[in-house]
């Protein structure tokens, strides 16, 4: 991890710009004693103030507590990974860990909102589904990208949702050893059971679908439901 002055300054610039774009302009930055002169100057330029924590008293710096919370959350995510998940890919799991932690954390401005919703707006779970990190998957290979007799899927590791696509996932491909985005894959979890629709869920969905059909049906002599379909119902 790069803890040099330029790297820290670059990180602060990203944080400041992200908050400002959301209409949240930082007013006070609480820093430790490793704060560089360039960082102090940047905070002043942004019309904010800074406050240094006392030496060796980390509890007075809220960032230290936040770091510990993230570490615990990230370790919990690693515990759900497949036993064969390559640990050198740990950094690929960081974006989803940040996302899920901020979805769980309440906003300090409005406790009724999550920290993520406060900055980015409500999260759309339908558009960007989330799965257990480090899960083994089989990724579908599109017909135009595979040979006539080649396999229709390839192995990979799920690392998070693709926020720039609709209902797509970021996958580390074992074959190419690179990241790829896909919308079609099969999950093979070993530690976390994925939710499945049971008989009650399917019946409720069928009843809702029938109600929609009846509501839209125009009066006619053609029966809406056949006798065989009635028997099945």
């Amino acid at each position: 991890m790069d803890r040099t002055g330029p790297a820290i300054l670059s990180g602060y610039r990203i944080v400041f710009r992200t908050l400002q774009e959301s209409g949240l302009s930082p007013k006070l930055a609480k820093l430790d004693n490793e704060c560089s002169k360039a960082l102090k100057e940047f905070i002043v330029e942004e019309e904010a103030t800074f406050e240094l924590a006392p030496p060796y008293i980390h509890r007075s710096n809220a960032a230290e507590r936040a770091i510990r919370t993230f570490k615990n959350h990230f370790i919990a995510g690693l515990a759900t990974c497949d036993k064969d998940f390559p640990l050198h890919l740990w950094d690929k799991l960081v974006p989803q860990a940040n996302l899920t932690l901020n979805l769980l954390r309440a906003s300090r401005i409005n406790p009724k909102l999550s920290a993520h919703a406060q900055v980015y707006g409500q999260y759309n779970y339908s558009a960007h589904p989330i799965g257990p990190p480090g899960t083994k998957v089989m990724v579908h290979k599109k017909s135009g990208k595979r040979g006539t007799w080649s396999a229709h899927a390839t192995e990979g590791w799920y690392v998070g949702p693709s926020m720039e696509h609709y209902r797509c996932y970021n996958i580390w491909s074992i074959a190419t050893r690179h990241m790829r985005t896909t919308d079609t894959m099969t999950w093979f979890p070993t530690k976390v059971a994925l939710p499945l629709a049971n008989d009650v869920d399917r019946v409720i969905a069928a009843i809702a679908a029938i109600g929609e059909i009846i509501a839209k049906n125009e009066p006619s002599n053609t029966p809406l439901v056949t006798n065989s379909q009635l028997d099945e119902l």
Side-chain angles (χ1 to χ4, degrees):
M1 182 179 296
D2 191 348
R3 299 181 60 181
T4 60
I8 295 175
L9 176 58
S10 175
Y12 263 85
R13 287 183 184 276
I14 294 173
V15 171
F16 265 76
R17 298 294 177 256
T18 300
L19 293 175
Q20 288 171 343
E21 290 171 1
S22 302
L24 304 171
S25 297
K27 299 300 182 184
L28 173 63
K30 292 189 176 182
L31 311 168
D32 60 23
N33 287 277
E34 295 181 7
C35 175
S36 66
K37 181 180 179 181
L39 179 55
K40 294 177 183 178
E41 292 175 349
F42 168 74
I43 294 173
V44 173
E45 290 173 1
E46 294 297 323
E47 299 182 353
T49 58
F50 62 87
E51 182 179 288
L52 299 182
Y56 309 110
I57 304 179
H58 297 304
R59 65 179 180 272
S60 64
N61 191 345
E64 297 293 341
R65 185 63 182 87
I67 291 171
R68 189 174 75 175
T69 300
F70 174 81
K71 287 171 64 177
N72 292 340
H73 183 74
F74 190 72
I75 291 172
L78 289 177
T80 67
C81 292
D82 188 286
K83 64 181 180 63
D84 295 323
F85 178 75
L87 284 181
H88 71 271
L89 299 178
W90 67 268
D91 59 310
K92 307 297 182 184
L93 305 179
V94 171
Q96 174 165 309
N98 279 327
L99 170 64
T100 52
L101 179 58
N102 285 325
L103 288 172
L104 293 169
R105 189 200 307 267
S107 167
R108 292 189 176 185
I109 300 174
N110 183 357
K112 294 183 178 180
L113 296 177
S114 68
H116 181 277
Q118 184 69 64
V119 178
Y120 302 103
Q122 290 294 338
Y123 186 78
N124 190 336
Y125 290 91
S126 179
H128 306 293
I130 302 173
T135 300
K136 190 173 185 179
V137 296
M138 292 295 293
V139 182
H140 179 250
K141 297 171 65 177
K142 306 302 182 185
S143 58
K145 296 293 184 179
R146 67 172 188 260
T148 305
W149 297 99
S150 64
H152 288 201
T154 182
E155 292 182 320
W157 300 104
Y158 166 82
V159 297
S162 175
M163 303 303 294
E164 297 181 348
H165 301 82
Y166 180 75
R167 296 188 70 82
C168 289
Y169 310 92
N170 289 327
I171 305 297
W172 175 266
S173 173
I174 295 177
T176 63
R177 302 183 66 81
H178 285 89
M179 294 293 297
R180 62 174 296 182
T181 301
T182 183
D183 64 342
T184 308
M185 65 183 189
T186 302
W187 303 80
F188 293 92
T190 57
K191 296 183 180 179
V192 178
L194 296 179
L196 299 174
N198 55 33
D199 291 340
V200 175
D201 295 328
R202 286 191 284 270
V203 169
I204 292 175
I207 292 173
I210 292 172
E212 291 178 2
I213 294 174
I214 293 174
K216 297 177 182 178
N217 186 54
E218 297 292 337
S220 66
N221 296 325
T222 304
L224 180 62
V225 182
T226 64
N227 290 333
S228 61
Q229 289 173 327
L230 283 174
D231 293 337
E232 291 180 3
L233 289 172

